[in-house]
Structure formats: C-alpha cells, structure tokens
Amino acid sequence: MARVVVDVMLKPEILDPQGQAVQRALPRLGFDGISDVRQGKRFELEVEGPVDEAALARIHDLAESFLANTVIEDFTVKVEEVAEAAK
Amino acid sequence: MSRTPLDTVEHAAATPDVELPWAELGLKKDEYERVVEILGRRPTGAELAMYSVMWSEHCSYKSSKVHLRQFGEKAPESDALLVGIGENAGVVDVGQGYAVTFKVESHNHPSYVEPYQGAATGVGGIVRDIIAMGARPVAVVDPLRFGAADHPDTKRVLPGVVAGIGGYGNCLGLPNIGGEVVFDACYQGNPLVNAGAIGVMRHEDIHLAKASGAGNQVILYGARTGGDGIGGASILASETFDDAKPSKRPAVQVGDPFQEKLLIECTLEAFREKLVVGIQDLGAAGLSCATSELASNGSGGMRVTLDDVPLRDSTLSPEEILMSESQERMCAVVEPGKVDRFLEICAKWDVIATVIGEVTDGDRLEIFWHGGKIVDVDPRTVAHDGPVYERPYARPDWQDVLQADDAGKLPRPATGEELKDQVLRLVGSPNQASKKWITSQYDHFVQGNTVLAQPEDSGMIRIDEESGLGVAIATDGNGRYAKLDPYTGAQLALAEAYRNVATTGARPLAVSDCLNFGSPEDSAVMWQFAEAVRGLADGCRQLGTPVTGGNVSLYNQTGEAAIHPTPVVAVLGVIDDVARRTPVAFQEEGQLLYLLGDTREEFGGSAWSQVVHDHLGGMPPKVDLERERLLAEILISASRDGMIDSAHDLSDGGLVQAVVESALLGGKGARLVVPDGLDAFTFLLSESAGRAVVAVPRSEEVRFNDMCGARGLPATRIGVVDGDAVEVQGEFTLSLAELRETHEQTIPSLLA
C-alpha cells in the first residue's frame, strides 16, 4: 500500500487571507521573525494496488480537476511510503 | 541582461522614439496619438498604464457615454434626489432625516473565469461604493443570469457564484434580500453577475469623492497591493523591465470579507469624527482611478510617492502598482492636523494605513518612484477626457423577421387537461421554479432588520426601529422582451421593478441600472443599447423616478453571438411603516382574489412560449406607464389602509405563476373563475404588463372596489383563497402538493 500526497497551494500572486490572518496573529502571540505565511491544503490518498505511472497520471487528473482549482491554485503530487508498522 | 533605466518623465522626453506596447494594453492607434498630443511627448510606461486602463470601455464608458447623457437630460424633477449620477453612488432622501444610497454593478467576466471569487469580489466592490458615500451598508441584492440550466458549465458557474455571494455577504453580516436568477442559453459563456447594495445615512453625513486644499494628505488604507487583476500592465512591465517575474498571468482577485468589514467600521468611524475631506474606493483601475478621480474632482493637483504603497509582492513594477485591482482598499484625503487621528482609528481596526501623497495647489498629478517622476499629467485628461465614441448603430435586418414571428400563432392547449399539463411544465421550468435552493444559501435576516426577502416581490429593510421607516428594492430585467424590442424591453424592466416595489406597499423613488450588452462594435448591439437607454430614460421621466447611477457592461458575447440585451433595473422605494407591508403569500381562506389591470393576448417573449414551444418572436407586452403609476398608487393606498392582505405582481408566467407562488408560500389554495371576455389560456398565461393579483378581506371588498372604481383601475374578481389546490373552474385542479413538488424540485435536481 502506498500513500500519495497532493499538496494544494494558492498561486504565489493570489491573495491568501487565511495565511495573512495567521501571519498577523504571530507577533501578537510573541512569535517574532516570521515575515509571511501562506496556507494550503494537504490531501493524503491511500492507493489500492501499485502506484505506477498510470496511477499517478490518474491522481494528477483528479487533483487537477477536483482537488485544486487551477485558476487560483497550484498543486504537487508526491508518493509517500507508508511504514507498515508505524508508531 | 542590463536593466533598462527607470522610465521617468525626463527619460520619456529624451527618448521620443521608444515604442510602447499601447496596442497590447488595449489602446487604439488614434487613442495613443491623443495621449501623445495631450502630454506633448510620449507617455512614460506608468502614464501609459494609467491612460490605457482609465480609457478602457469599463472605466471611460467611451461607447455608452453619448447615450447615457439622456439619464441626466431627461431626469424628472425629483425632490428625493440628493446626489445624482457621477458620484460613487446616488443618494435619495427617504424622509425623517434619512438618506439612502444604492447602486447596481456588474462583475460578469471575472465570475465566469473564477465563479466564487468573481462573485465575492463583485459584492465587495459594490459595498465599497456605498461606504465611500458615507453610508452604512444594510443589504445586498444579486440579479444573476446563467446559461441553460441543464448545461454542464452552468453546474460549474452557478454553485460557485452563489457560494461566493453567500460567503462574502454572510461574512460581512449583510442580508441578501433580493435579486433574480434567470437561465437562457444566450448567457452560456457570458453569465451575468450583477450585484447591488443599499446603504443608509443621515443627510448631513453624505460624502463626495474629491481632493481639495493644498497640503491635505492622501492616505491609502486597507489591504496591501498585490498582483491582483492586472491584465495588460504585466505586458507593459515585461517589455519595460527584464526582471524575472513569478507569473505574467493576470491574477484572479481574491476577496477578504473580514478585511472589508474592518474597512466599513474604520471608514464610518473616521466619517463620524469628520476626519475625511474626500474619499474614493479602489475598484477597477485601482490607484490609477482613485488618484486621478480624487485629484480631478478637487482642485486638480496631487503628488504621490508610489514607493510608500504597502505591497504584498515586492517585485511589482510601478505600472503594476498603478493598475492593480487588489480588493478591500480605499483612498482618503485628510487634513494634515487630522492624519494622526485617522491613522489611530485605522490601527484600532487593524487596518494598514499609509500616507502616500498630498494635495498640491497645482493642477498636475505627479507620481514618483525611486526618486524619479514617472507620471506628470493633468488628472482630468485621465479621468474625464477619455475618448468618446459615436459608435454606428443600426436596427438589424433580422429584427423585423423576429417581430413578425408572432407568438400568438403558436398552437395553444385545446383542452383543460392540456392546459393543466402546460401549467405544470411552466411552474416547474427552471426560470419559473422556486429559487429557494439558491437564495437559502444567503443570509436574509442578519442584522435583524429584514422585513421581506426573496421570494417576495421586493426586498424590504427597516431603517428606523422607532418609526418603522423602511426601504424596498426590486431588480428586474427580461432579456427576451428586450431582444424583441429593446426600447419596450427596457421599459418593461423598469415597469416590473417599479410594480414590484409598489406591490409590497412601498413608494418607488429612484432607479439604478446595470446595462448588460454584447459588443458595441457591432452596430446591431449598439442599436439595442441606444434603444434600451432611450426607453429607460423616457420611462424614468414618465414615472418620476430619476436614474441615480449604475453601470454598463459591454462585450458580453462569444464570437458573433451576443447575449440578449439585458438591462437590469433596480427600483428603490420607501415605506413609512414596514408593519404595513404587503406579502406575496395568501394569508387567510375566504379572502377574495382580484385581478388588477387589463389582460390582453400577449405572448411574445413569454415564459409559456419558451417553455412549451422554445420560441422567441413577436412583440413583447405593451407598456403603459400611466397605468403602472395608477396601479402603484392603488397598491400603496390599499396596503396603507389595510384593504389587502397579500399582493403579487404579474410578470413572466402570467397570472397562474403568481397565484401558484402565493398559494405555495401561504400554504393555502385558490379557486379561480375565468372572467367574462377572456379564455382560460389567455387569463392564465398572458404576460400583459401593469397587472397584479391581490387578496381582499371580505370586509374590505366594498371599500376596495370603490377605490379602484373611483380612480379608474380595472379590478376583476377572479376567485377566492380556499382549499389545498389551485382550481380553475371548468378547466383543471392541481393540488398544492403536486405543485410544490414540481415547483421546488427543479433547481435542486439540476444543481444540487
């Protein structure tokens, strides 16, 4: 079994009100030195069967058409091995 | 790669032969030559950015201006108008010392590209227009047009638009009280997302956009400036500078409703303390628009240091900063002694505020960047002296063919059973079906002053808790009618909105409009536009309701196919006591149903012709504005004197649509009798204008009849509120359960 992670981020030039809110809260809470925060979404997809090129292409499609709004967001797809005996 | 020197005014004067990308920025050759002539040299990159964006169709109204003048020239005498066309929004006196400002604008194209953010920022933009007048926003409305309801792209665009309007408006805490949703294949690829807002203030609090008084400080406050909505400027920047940029694509504007809420509170507090000389919201054309308009509406001189503009993206070029359409920003002009207090208020609301310049006693707008002067212009030439086009217009050849294709010739139902079947199809068709699935995503009641909201004929808001003073607003526009005859279609839109306001018991006062059309470079479209404006201006004069402002959206077309001409008209009315309002829903069994007005055989552009025959042809219903005025007076008097308990205006779908809606909303049926001289089909489905159906308590019948008789308004008794079905005697009976199922399932099954 493998896990594929899709990270979705607003494109750099797009305003990110949530990230800004976090960034503004940081100094108020005493955390200095952070000049910018951008917030995104992480999807963890558990894939049945082998994660071959065809599977990745399918995931790329679903990310492009469903998980990300490519008008304003970018996404990356990466494979993450799931350790069987985790923890 | 060596960096080209900063394109300052001196540099421009010294290098007259440098080619600028004026065509890519949307300027025509003669327009560019005019800029060179005005300046006496080639413009700098920054100046070109300003001229190109301010002289665009959207900002300069260059194709529509010559026609729009009629709204001023034909404006009726009105004591109610405090501020007219040309300001951020018009202001109307509603009595008791209150003034109301309202306006409708379009955000069509951005909403097609990115439905959620496009619609959200549409709401944000219109709300800032209201704040800039010094008013507290109290409600929004949203007239929408989409492609065919069953088209896959509608399923992409509509839910996004609805969620965007709901998300932004609900976050701001503004109730959404009205609007419309219409589907038609002509809007495929060109959905119309119009947004309207209403604000309330005291008379003494009206504020106008101007910058006067040398030494006064120019303060930019609100969000930081980013690359949002920059179209052509990026081209310019990339041709002028060789920096690597993260993206050359125009960035979609993203709304931040919480920031807008802070702007509202911060601006109104600054107004209360009388800290503001002039103010302007930043919408289309951003700082280019704000600085040139503020300066030219004042004494004319302003000096701005662009380096001081707080940026979200430090790689922005000065051209991009000038053209950025980042949301939630405003520009205020403040006397030097009051700057500290103004900044203090902004800090309290956590709003970034920066002095970016000052008013000067000259008449030039000068903008500096890295110590160099990159703009030196007469601001009037940017803001007001844009090109004006007398675009050729001609009645298209196909208009006669269209009008000759009479809908009266379409086959009509032969039996009661067939009529019943067609009525059911009508009330279940996407345009006539309940829009509850859409409107229930908006908060109607936040702030606690909403008296009426969708699906009532008009939205109504209480503005004074003590006296019950309220305002009502209705928006209407039927593109099918306007396609058949733009002059009449525009007047029908006005008449319907006027009637809708009066039906709820409010007195219509003023008009705002959003004129959505195809390309002005098409002479047929330009003819439609000219006719619609003429019709609207004539109609407003006759009804005594001045146009206070609005917006024109052109180029709503894909290839050769333009949308139906769609003038959307908003009418604002006042009601002395909202407790006297008239709802749509039937209230009590046994009340008598009266049809007010004349019913003729009018089916051109009707909902019936569309639903049953997929037909558009013939002439739209006749307009009689004197009759509309009389009908309105009767409806308002009857409401005030308690003679009617419910009322519904008759428009698309005719009488049967109105009765079904009143019955379903009230949970009470109706028994109808076809009056003498009419056949059942015409009685139920004709769309003759100037009509309403009212429910009169038996105890008021004589008084009501006397009033209609004395004033000469035809009032025909057509039935009674009764039972749990809509029955048309001798024709058919439809149970409320079946009607409800049909009427309410359509939209969720298509879109949910």
PDB file of all heavy atoms in Angstrom, chain B residues 33-57:
ATOM      1  N   GLU B  33      -2.228  58.237 -29.965  1.00  0.00           N
ATOM      2  CA  GLU B  33      -1.769  59.524 -30.508  1.00  0.00           C
ATOM      3  C   GLU B  33      -2.347  60.694 -29.736  1.00  0.00           C
ATOM      4  O   GLU B  33      -1.702  61.728 -29.553  1.00  0.00           O
ATOM      5  CB  GLU B  33      -2.129  59.616 -31.997  1.00  0.00           C
ATOM      6  CG  GLU B  33      -1.165  58.806 -32.853  1.00  0.00           C
ATOM      7  CD  GLU B  33      -1.680  58.552 -34.255  1.00  0.00           C
ATOM      8  OE1 GLU B  33      -2.812  59.005 -34.574  1.00  0.00           O
ATOM      9  OE2 GLU B  33      -0.970  57.881 -35.029  1.00  0.00           O
ATOM     10  N   ARG B  34      -3.551  60.510 -29.271  1.00  0.00           N
ATOM     11  CA  ARG B  34      -4.187  61.556 -28.468  1.00  0.00           C
ATOM     12  C   ARG B  34      -3.429  61.738 -27.140  1.00  0.00           C
ATOM     13  O   ARG B  34      -3.224  62.867 -26.685  1.00  0.00           O
ATOM     14  CB  ARG B  34      -5.643  61.165 -28.220  1.00  0.00           C
ATOM     15  CG  ARG B  34      -6.390  62.028 -27.250  1.00  0.00           C
ATOM     16  CD  ARG B  34      -7.278  63.070 -27.958  1.00  0.00           C
ATOM     17  NE  ARG B  34      -7.937  63.920 -26.960  1.00  0.00           N
ATOM     18  CZ  ARG B  34      -7.449  65.099 -26.582  1.00  0.00           C
ATOM     19  NH1 ARG B  34      -6.356  65.572 -27.107  1.00  0.00           N
ATOM     20  NH2 ARG B  34      -8.084  65.805 -25.674  1.00  0.00           N
ATOM     21  N   VAL B  35      -3.003  60.625 -26.547  1.00  0.00           N
ATOM     22  CA  VAL B  35      -2.225  60.710 -25.307  1.00  0.00           C
ATOM     23  C   VAL B  35      -0.943  61.497 -25.559  1.00  0.00           C
ATOM     24  O   VAL B  35      -0.582  62.401 -24.795  1.00  0.00           O
ATOM     25  CB  VAL B  35      -1.887  59.297 -24.761  1.00  0.00           C
ATOM     26  CG1 VAL B  35      -0.911  59.392 -23.587  1.00  0.00           C
ATOM     27  CG2 VAL B  35      -3.147  58.567 -24.327  1.00  0.00           C
ATOM     28  N   VAL B  36      -0.263  61.169 -26.658  1.00  0.00           N
ATOM     29  CA  VAL B  36       0.989  61.869 -27.005  1.00  0.00           C
ATOM     30  C   VAL B  36       0.708  63.354 -27.202  1.00  0.00           C
ATOM     31  O   VAL B  36       1.464  64.221 -26.755  1.00  0.00           O
ATOM     32  CB  VAL B  36       1.610  61.248 -28.274  1.00  0.00           C
ATOM     33  CG1 VAL B  36       2.827  62.055 -28.710  1.00  0.00           C
ATOM     34  CG2 VAL B  36       1.984  59.797 -28.022  1.00  0.00           C
ATOM     35  N   GLU B  37      -0.420  63.647 -27.826  1.00  0.00           N
ATOM     36  CA  GLU B  37      -0.777  65.040 -28.087  1.00  0.00           C
ATOM     37  C   GLU B  37      -1.042  65.784 -26.766  1.00  0.00           C
ATOM     38  O   GLU B  37      -0.589  66.908 -26.557  1.00  0.00           O
ATOM     39  CB  GLU B  37      -2.032  65.054 -28.973  1.00  0.00           C
ATOM     40  CG  GLU B  37      -2.441  66.415 -29.472  1.00  0.00           C
ATOM     41  CD  GLU B  37      -3.823  66.364 -30.122  1.00  0.00           C
ATOM     42  OE1 GLU B  37      -4.107  65.363 -30.823  1.00  0.00           O
ATOM     43  OE2 GLU B  37      -4.603  67.284 -29.901  1.00  0.00           O
ATOM     44  N   ILE B  38      -1.772  65.125 -25.849  1.00  0.00           N
ATOM     45  CA  ILE B  38      -2.088  65.734 -24.553  1.00  0.00           C
ATOM     46  C   ILE B  38      -0.804  66.059 -23.794  1.00  0.00           C
ATOM     47  O   ILE B  38      -0.645  67.134 -23.231  1.00  0.00           O
ATOM     48  CB  ILE B  38      -2.977  64.792 -23.700  1.00  0.00           C
ATOM     49  CG1 ILE B  38      -4.398  64.766 -24.266  1.00  0.00           C
ATOM     50  CG2 ILE B  38      -2.989  65.218 -22.247  1.00  0.00           C
ATOM     51  CD1 ILE B  38      -5.286  63.722 -23.624  1.00  0.00           C
ATOM     52  N   LEU B  39       0.123  65.090 -23.792  1.00  0.00           N
ATOM     53  CA  LEU B  39       1.329  65.241 -22.996  1.00  0.00           C
ATOM     54  C   LEU B  39       2.404  66.059 -23.709  1.00  0.00           C
ATOM     55  O   LEU B  39       3.312  66.586 -23.072  1.00  0.00           O
ATOM     56  CB  LEU B  39       1.902  63.862 -22.640  1.00  0.00           C
ATOM     57  CG  LEU B  39       1.031  62.982 -21.744  1.00  0.00           C
ATOM     58  CD1 LEU B  39       1.622  61.593 -21.624  1.00  0.00           C
ATOM     59  CD2 LEU B  39       0.864  63.611 -20.368  1.00  0.00           C
ATOM     60  N   GLY B  40       2.317  66.153 -25.038  1.00  0.00           N
ATOM     61  CA  GLY B  40       3.348  66.838 -25.799  1.00  0.00           C
ATOM     62  C   GLY B  40       4.633  66.018 -25.898  1.00  0.00           C
ATOM     63  O   GLY B  40       5.700  66.541 -26.227  1.00  0.00           O
ATOM     64  N   ARG B  41       4.571  64.762 -25.569  1.00  0.00           N
ATOM     65  CA  ARG B  41       5.713  63.841 -25.655  1.00  0.00           C
ATOM     66  C   ARG B  41       5.144  62.441 -25.556  1.00  0.00           C
ATOM     67  O   ARG B  41       3.937  62.280 -25.325  1.00  0.00           O
ATOM     68  CB  ARG B  41       6.686  64.079 -24.499  1.00  0.00           C
ATOM     69  CG  ARG B  41       5.998  63.958 -23.139  1.00  0.00           C
ATOM     70  CD  ARG B  41       6.952  63.998 -21.975  1.00  0.00           C
ATOM     71  NE  ARG B  41       6.220  64.251 -20.732  1.00  0.00           N
ATOM     72  CZ  ARG B  41       5.526  63.342 -20.055  1.00  0.00           C
ATOM     73  NH1 ARG B  41       5.464  62.099 -20.487  1.00  0.00           N
ATOM     74  NH2 ARG B  41       4.868  63.664 -18.965  1.00  0.00           N
ATOM     75  N   ARG B  42       6.019  61.432 -25.684  1.00  0.00           N
ATOM     76  CA  ARG B  42       5.493  60.087 -25.489  1.00  0.00           C
ATOM     77  C   ARG B  42       5.225  59.873 -24.001  1.00  0.00           C
ATOM     78  O   ARG B  42       5.914  60.462 -23.165  1.00  0.00           O
ATOM     79  CB  ARG B  42       6.469  59.043 -26.036  1.00  0.00           C
ATOM     80  CG  ARG B  42       7.678  58.780 -25.142  1.00  0.00           C
ATOM     81  CD  ARG B  42       8.282  57.404 -25.431  1.00  0.00           C
ATOM     82  NE  ARG B  42       9.519  57.183 -24.682  1.00  0.00           N
ATOM     83  CZ  ARG B  42       9.569  56.621 -23.471  1.00  0.00           C
ATOM     84  NH1 ARG B  42       8.457  56.250 -22.853  1.00  0.00           N
ATOM     85  NH2 ARG B  42      10.725  56.456 -22.858  1.00  0.00           N
ATOM     86  N   PRO B  43       4.221  59.085 -23.646  1.00  0.00           N
ATOM     87  CA  PRO B  43       3.975  58.834 -22.235  1.00  0.00           C
ATOM     88  C   PRO B  43       5.065  57.934 -21.654  1.00  0.00           C
ATOM     89  O   PRO B  43       5.696  57.171 -22.387  1.00  0.00           O
ATOM     90  CB  PRO B  43       2.635  58.109 -22.231  1.00  0.00           C
ATOM     91  CG  PRO B  43       2.533  57.465 -23.570  1.00  0.00           C
ATOM     92  CD  PRO B  43       3.263  58.361 -24.512  1.00  0.00           C
ATOM     93  N   THR B  44       5.259  58.010 -20.352  1.00  0.00           N
ATOM     94  CA  THR B  44       6.105  57.025 -19.687  1.00  0.00           C
ATOM     95  C   THR B  44       5.301  55.727 -19.590  1.00  0.00           C
ATOM     96  O   THR B  44       4.082  55.725 -19.817  1.00  0.00           O
ATOM     97  CB  THR B  44       6.465  57.463 -18.265  1.00  0.00           C
ATOM     98  OG1 THR B  44       5.254  57.503 -17.498  1.00  0.00           O
ATOM     99  CG2 THR B  44       7.122  58.836 -18.247  1.00  0.00           C
ATOM    100  N   GLY B  45       5.975  54.664 -19.220  1.00  0.00           N
ATOM    101  CA  GLY B  45       5.259  53.400 -19.051  1.00  0.00           C
ATOM    102  C   GLY B  45       4.130  53.540 -18.043  1.00  0.00           C
ATOM    103  O   GLY B  45       3.024  53.021 -18.241  1.00  0.00           O
ATOM    104  N   ALA B  46       4.396  54.241 -16.957  1.00  0.00           N
ATOM    105  CA  ALA B  46       3.383  54.389 -15.913  1.00  0.00           C
ATOM    106  C   ALA B  46       2.200  55.217 -16.414  1.00  0.00           C
ATOM    107  O   ALA B  46       1.036  54.910 -16.124  1.00  0.00           O
ATOM    108  CB  ALA B  46       4.006  55.037 -14.677  1.00  0.00           C
ATOM    109  N   GLU B  47       2.517  56.268 -17.158  1.00  0.00           N
ATOM    110  CA  GLU B  47       1.426  57.095 -17.699  1.00  0.00           C
ATOM    111  C   GLU B  47       0.588  56.291 -18.684  1.00  0.00           C
ATOM    112  O   GLU B  47      -0.642  56.381 -18.697  1.00  0.00           O
ATOM    113  CB  GLU B  47       2.003  58.346 -18.381  1.00  0.00           C
ATOM    114  CG  GLU B  47       2.532  59.365 -17.389  1.00  0.00           C
ATOM    115  CD  GLU B  47       3.396  60.446 -18.047  1.00  0.00           C
ATOM    116  OE1 GLU B  47       3.849  60.238 -19.201  1.00  0.00           O
ATOM    117  OE2 GLU B  47       3.620  61.470 -17.405  1.00  0.00           O
ATOM    118  N   LEU B  48       1.276  55.516 -19.491  1.00  0.00           N
ATOM    119  CA  LEU B  48       0.547  54.700 -20.462  1.00  0.00           C
ATOM    120  C   LEU B  48      -0.361  53.712 -19.736  1.00  0.00           C
ATOM    121  O   LEU B  48      -1.513  53.491 -20.125  1.00  0.00           O
ATOM    122  CB  LEU B  48       1.531  53.947 -21.365  1.00  0.00           C
ATOM    123  CG  LEU B  48       0.864  53.122 -22.470  1.00  0.00           C
ATOM    124  CD1 LEU B  48       0.124  54.025 -23.443  1.00  0.00           C
ATOM    125  CD2 LEU B  48       1.883  52.272 -23.212  1.00  0.00           C
ATOM    126  N   ALA B  49       0.147  53.144 -18.640  1.00  0.00           N
ATOM    127  CA  ALA B  49      -0.673  52.221 -17.855  1.00  0.00           C
ATOM    128  C   ALA B  49      -1.939  52.922 -17.381  1.00  0.00           C
ATOM    129  O   ALA B  49      -3.051  52.398 -17.498  1.00  0.00           O
ATOM    130  CB  ALA B  49       0.124  51.700 -16.658  1.00  0.00           C
ATOM    131  N   MET B  50      -1.779  54.134 -16.872  1.00  0.00           N
ATOM    132  CA  MET B  50      -2.939  54.863 -16.351  1.00  0.00           C
ATOM    133  C   MET B  50      -3.941  55.195 -17.450  1.00  0.00           C
ATOM    134  O   MET B  50      -5.136  54.975 -17.303  1.00  0.00           O
ATOM    135  CB  MET B  50      -2.491  56.156 -15.674  1.00  0.00           C
ATOM    136  CG  MET B  50      -1.737  55.932 -14.384  1.00  0.00           C
ATOM    137  SD  MET B  50      -1.338  57.484 -13.552  1.00  0.00           S
ATOM    138  CE  MET B  50      -2.899  57.900 -12.800  1.00  0.00           C
ATOM    139  N   TYR B  51      -3.419  55.780 -18.541  1.00  0.00           N
ATOM    140  CA  TYR B  51      -4.340  56.150 -19.622  1.00  0.00           C
ATOM    141  C   TYR B  51      -5.053  54.926 -20.181  1.00  0.00           C
ATOM    142  O   TYR B  51      -6.253  54.935 -20.426  1.00  0.00           O
ATOM    143  CB  TYR B  51      -3.599  56.882 -20.746  1.00  0.00           C
ATOM    144  CG  TYR B  51      -3.392  58.353 -20.478  1.00  0.00           C
ATOM    145  CD1 TYR B  51      -2.147  58.854 -20.133  1.00  0.00           C
ATOM    146  CD2 TYR B  51      -4.460  59.248 -20.566  1.00  0.00           C
ATOM    147  CE1 TYR B  51      -1.959  60.213 -19.876  1.00  0.00           C
ATOM    148  CE2 TYR B  51      -4.280  60.599 -20.318  1.00  0.00           C
ATOM    149  CZ  TYR B  51      -3.026  61.076 -19.975  1.00  0.00           C
ATOM    150  OH  TYR B  51      -2.857  62.407 -19.725  1.00  0.00           O
ATOM    151  N   SER B  52      -4.291  53.851 -20.372  1.00  0.00           N
ATOM    152  CA  SER B  52      -4.912  52.700 -21.031  1.00  0.00           C
ATOM    153  C   SER B  52      -6.030  52.124 -20.182  1.00  0.00           C
ATOM    154  O   SER B  52      -7.090  51.767 -20.676  1.00  0.00           O
ATOM    155  CB  SER B  52      -3.859  51.634 -21.338  1.00  0.00           C
ATOM    156  OG  SER B  52      -3.412  51.024 -20.149  1.00  0.00           O
ATOM    157  N   VAL B  53      -5.823  52.078 -18.872  1.00  0.00           N
ATOM    158  CA  VAL B  53      -6.844  51.461 -18.040  1.00  0.00           C
ATOM    159  C   VAL B  53      -8.016  52.413 -17.802  1.00  0.00           C
ATOM    160  O   VAL B  53      -9.174  52.030 -17.780  1.00  0.00           O
ATOM    161  CB  VAL B  53      -6.230  50.908 -16.731  1.00  0.00           C
ATOM    162  CG1 VAL B  53      -5.767  52.010 -15.827  1.00  0.00           C
ATOM    163  CG2 VAL B  53      -7.186  50.008 -16.019  1.00  0.00           C
ATOM    164  N   MET B  54      -7.697  53.709 -17.693  1.00  0.00           N
ATOM    165  CA  MET B  54      -8.783  54.664 -17.451  1.00  0.00           C
ATOM    166  C   MET B  54      -9.574  54.966 -18.725  1.00  0.00           C
ATOM    167  O   MET B  54     -10.710  55.397 -18.661  1.00  0.00           O
ATOM    168  CB  MET B  54      -8.218  55.967 -16.869  1.00  0.00           C
ATOM    169  CG  MET B  54      -7.771  55.833 -15.431  1.00  0.00           C
ATOM    170  SD  MET B  54      -9.118  55.359 -14.337  1.00  0.00           S
ATOM    171  CE  MET B  54     -10.097  56.870 -14.322  1.00  0.00           C
ATOM    172  N   TRP B  55      -8.942  54.761 -19.867  1.00  0.00           N
ATOM    173  CA  TRP B  55      -9.654  54.984 -21.125  1.00  0.00           C
ATOM    174  C   TRP B  55     -10.276  53.694 -21.663  1.00  0.00           C
ATOM    175  O   TRP B  55     -10.744  53.624 -22.777  1.00  0.00           O
ATOM    176  CB  TRP B  55      -8.711  55.579 -22.178  1.00  0.00           C
ATOM    177  CG  TRP B  55      -8.400  57.019 -21.939  1.00  0.00           C
ATOM    178  CD1 TRP B  55      -8.650  57.741 -20.798  1.00  0.00           C
ATOM    179  CD2 TRP B  55      -7.788  57.931 -22.859  1.00  0.00           C
ATOM    180  NE1 TRP B  55      -8.214  59.037 -20.953  1.00  0.00           N
ATOM    181  CE2 TRP B  55      -7.686  59.181 -22.208  1.00  0.00           C
ATOM    182  CE3 TRP B  55      -7.311  57.813 -24.164  1.00  0.00           C
ATOM    183  CZ2 TRP B  55      -7.129  60.298 -22.815  1.00  0.00           C
ATOM    184  CZ3 TRP B  55      -6.747  58.926 -24.778  1.00  0.00           C
ATOM    185  CH2 TRP B  55      -6.666  60.158 -24.106  1.00  0.00           C
ATOM    186  N   SER B  56     -10.237  52.645 -20.866  1.00  0.00           N
ATOM    187  CA  SER B  56     -10.868  51.403 -21.295  1.00  0.00           C
ATOM    188  C   SER B  56     -12.386  51.589 -21.292  1.00  0.00           C
ATOM    189  O   SER B  56     -12.909  52.513 -20.658  1.00  0.00           O
ATOM    190  CB  SER B  56     -10.486  50.265 -20.346  1.00  0.00           C
ATOM    191  OG  SER B  56     -11.075  50.502 -19.071  1.00  0.00           O
ATOM    192  N   GLU B  57     -13.058  50.707 -21.987  1.00  0.00           N
ATOM    193  CA  GLU B  57     -14.519  50.790 -22.045  1.00  0.00           C
ATOM    194  C   GLU B  57     -15.118  50.785 -20.637  1.00  0.00           C
ATOM    195  O   GLU B  57     -16.013  51.550 -20.300  1.00  0.00           O
ATOM    196  CB  GLU B  57     -15.055  49.585 -22.837  1.00  0.00           C
ATOM    197  CG  GLU B  57     -16.545  49.619 -23.093  1.00  0.00           C
ATOM    198  CD  GLU B  57     -16.945  50.753 -24.019  1.00  0.00           C
ATOM    199  OE1 GLU B  57     -16.463  50.773 -25.154  1.00  0.00           O
ATOM    200  OE2 GLU B  57     -17.724  51.623 -23.602  1.00  0.00           O
TER     201      GLU B  57
END
